[in-house]
Amino acid sequence: MSQLTHIDNQGHAHMVDVSEKDVTTRVARAEAFVEMLPSTLELITGGGHKKGDVLAVARIAGIQAAKKCSDLIPLCHPLMLSKVSVDLIPDVANNRVCIQTMCKLNGRTGVEMEALCAASTAALTLYDMCKAVDRGMIISGLRVVEKQGGKSGHWVIDTTLGERA
């Protein structure tokens, strides 16, 4: 099993020194789900919400969160992201919105945390905008689904296992 990289030999938390790592193109994708009442999903997709375009606001919030990740997660490096995308896909069959994010850069450290921050913040924003009509919404399934670049190469979650690879 690998050692925790954010803990030094004395057990103290520290920011990892990435200065000796190679600069490579790094990409991470994450996802999350927001389950809701069918009427709430209809309100969102039908454009009838009095607060406006819920999906557009959640998308912008997710993008902003990816850019601010190092302000939120203490040991994350500030990164110069070259691309952030946040897609919110209504899933009527399951009464939910699927949030899919992607972060990309050319750098010395990965962007998994940025992709996760984007997905979680988009989900929280969706909840915030709709809580007046549906307090029972459930945010679930936050996870990294793909990572590329760096020494560890390309990794994709094994969905055939149902949970984790």
Side-chain angles (χ1 to χ4, degrees):
M1 181 173 161
S2 297
Q3 294 290 350
L4 297 174
T5 58
H6 288 82
I7 306 294
D8 68 16
N9 292 338
Q10 294 147 357
H12 300 124
H14 71 102
M15 182 182 255
V16 174
D17 181 357
V18 298
S19 60
E20 299 300 317
K21 288 185 172 184
D22 291 333
V23 172
T24 64
T25 299
R26 296 165 186 264
V27 178
R29 297 178 193 280
E31 69 181 7
F33 301 92
V34 182
E35 300 171 50
M36 61 196 66
L37 295 171
S39 57
T40 305
L41 187 55
E42 172 58 35
L43 192 63
I44 293 169
T45 59
H49 199 294
K50 68 180 181 179
K51 290 186 178 181
D53 188 341
V54 173
L55 300 179
V57 174
R59 180 177 301 107
I60 296 300
I63 293 168
Q64 188 66 25
K67 295 177 354 182
K68 294 291 190 178
C69 184
S70 66
D71 292 340
L72 300 170
I73 310 297
L75 300 178
C76 280
H77 294 84
L79 301 179
M80 185 62 80
L81 297 169
S82 56
K83 173 77 175 154
V84 177
S85 66
V86 177
D87 295 313
L88 295 103
I89 302 130
D91 178 0
V92 176
N94 293 301
N95 299 316
R96 66 186 185 178
V97 173
C98 174
I99 300 164
Q100 298 175 345
T101 66
M102 185 276 297
C103 293
K104 182 179 181 180
L105 61 64
N106 292 323
R108 294 181 180 345
T109 190
V111 289
E112 297 92 338
M113 294 308 300
E114 288 72 14
L116 288 165
C117 277
S120 61
T121 301
L124 290 168
T125 301
L126 202 153
Y127 184 95
D128 180 52
M129 292 188 72
C130 296
K131 68 183 183 277
V133 297
D134 188 354
R135 294 199 191 286
M137 290 176 286
I138 299 169
I139 297 171
S140 65
L142 178 65
R143 64 183 181 177
V144 173
V145 296
E146 183 178 10
K147 175 229 170 282
Q148 297 175 45
K151 190 168 54 171
S152 62
H154 190 190
W155 174 85
V156 178
I157 195 161
D158 184 351
T159 57
T160 63
L161 298 177
E163 287 295 318
R164 298 175 31 189

